[in-house]
């Protein structure tokens, strides 16, 4: 499956979740590829700093050069999961949405993030005209259940008609700490709260993948 971490606003958590999901998939024995479309190359830099850790192969493919969508599709063949990290760039987003099967849209508990997420959802709906099998869902990220904004986030997104995963990623410093030494929260400490969040997010991705495969078989 070709999975894109999508967004049109900086700092929502795309790179954090892209590397976490790719590492979790790799650790569970899935044939995994991490592709970094962001010219900043954060995910690719993480992968290079992760040389000592059991992390998946990674590729930097910055930008939206002609043929980018086809390149991504070709790369995804032979992998169980291809995780694509994207920058906040509408052209690059449009290119990846042409071929992605699932777009996850991290959304922090802030109106600014919610407004941006609505625009990403619209981009996904537009992309479905060319790529009808594209699924998309919001992932509440960096939530703190003690705050009103965090507690209300999934409900607020659903009220706007947006699909929301049942899994939320809590705000935990373990994600940044792990990134600093080329790891992820779930590789460092699978039983930790941050590690479990990543594991549950990966389970949700696989459940959606199974659903997509079944839908393709019967349609
Ligand atoms: N669940 C979380 N808990 C705590 N910190 C988080 C969480 N998710 C992301 N962060 C932090 O938020 C910041 C932005 O995250 P990240 O770089 O993954 O977002 P991005 O969408 O890829 O941003 P960019 O626009 O730079 O590509 C980073 O400092 C990261 O460590
Ligand atoms: Mg990023």
């Amino acid at each position: 499956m070709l999975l894109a971490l999508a967004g049109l606003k900086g700092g929502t958590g795309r790179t954090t979740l892209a590397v976490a999901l790719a590492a979790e998939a790799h650790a569970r024995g899935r044939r995994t590829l991490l592709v970094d479309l962001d010219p900043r190359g954060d995910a690719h830099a993480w992968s290079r700093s992760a040389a000592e850790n059991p992390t998946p192969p990674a590729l930097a493919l910055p930008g939206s050069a002609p043929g980018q969508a086809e390149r991504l599709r070709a790369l995804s063949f032979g992998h169980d999961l291809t995780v694509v990290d994207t920058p906040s760039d509408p052209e690059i987003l449009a290119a990846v949405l042409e071929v992605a099967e699932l777009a996850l849209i991290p959304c922090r508990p802030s109106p600014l993030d919610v407004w941006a997420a609505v625009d990403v959802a619209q981009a996904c709906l537009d992309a479905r005209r060319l790529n009808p099998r594209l699924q998309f869902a919001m992932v509440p990220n960096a939530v703190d259940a003690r705050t009103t904004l965090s507690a209300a986030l999934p409900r607020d997104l659903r009220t706007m008609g947006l699909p929301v995963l049942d899994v939320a990623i809590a705000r935990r410093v373990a994600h940044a700490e792990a990134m600093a030494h080329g790891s992820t929260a779930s590789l460092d400490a699978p039983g930790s709260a941050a590690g479990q969040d990543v594991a549950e997010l990966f389970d949700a991705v696989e459940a959606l993948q199974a659903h997509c495969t079944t839908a393709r078989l019967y349609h």
Side-chain angles (χ1 to χ4, degrees), residues 13-208:
R14 281 160 298 183
T15 302
T16 301
L17 299 186
V19 305
L21 284 171
E24 179 73 13
H26 184 70
R28 293 202 202 181
R30 313 298 188 263
R31 290 167 301 171
T32 309
L33 178 66
L34 175 62
V35 182
D36 191 350
L37 298 191
D38 190 339
R40 278 182 47 81
D42 290 337
H44 191 243
W46 167 84
S47 146
R48 275 178 295 150
S49 73
E52 302 297 309
N53 294 319
T55 51
L59 208 62
L61 221 54
S64 60
Q68 189 72 305
E70 285 315 314
R71 218 167 287 128
L72 286 174
R73 198 202 306 273
L75 282 169
S76 73
F77 291 139
H79 293 101
D80 299 315
L81 185 67
T82 302
V83 181
V84 184
D85 187 26
T86 67
S88 309
D89 178 312
E91 280 185 22
I92 297 176
L93 180 64
V96 70
L97 293 180
E98 276 181 43
V99 287
E101 288 156 280
L102 175 62
L104 290 182
I105 305 163
C107 185
R108 286 173 177 262
S110 143
L112 302 176
D113 280 55
V114 171
W115 297 334
V118 170
D119 292 341
V120 188
Q122 186 57 53
C124 291
L125 291 171
D126 293 344
R128 270 194 185 153
R129 282 188 228 122
L130 280 176
N131 177 16
R133 65 181 184 167
L134 171 66
Q135 303 292 314
F136 65 94
M138 309 286 145
V139 182
N141 183 37
V143 300
D144 179 344
R146 294 166 302 179
T147 66
T148 311
L149 275 176
S150 285
L153 180 63
R155 190 190 60 227
D156 288 349
L157 291 169
R158 288 193 180 100
T159 303
M160 287 189 273
L162 299 170
V164 186
L165 286 192
D166 284 331
V167 178
I169 307 295
R171 177 157 58 83
R172 296 200 187 272
V173 73
H175 295 292
E177 284 174 347
M179 184 87 71
H181 58 265
S183 187
T184 68
S186 68
L187 291 183
D188 275 357
S192 66
Q196 280 179 359
D197 277 357
V198 172
E200 284 175 22
L201 178 59
F202 181 73
D203 289 341
V205 167
E206 288 217 313
L208 281 171

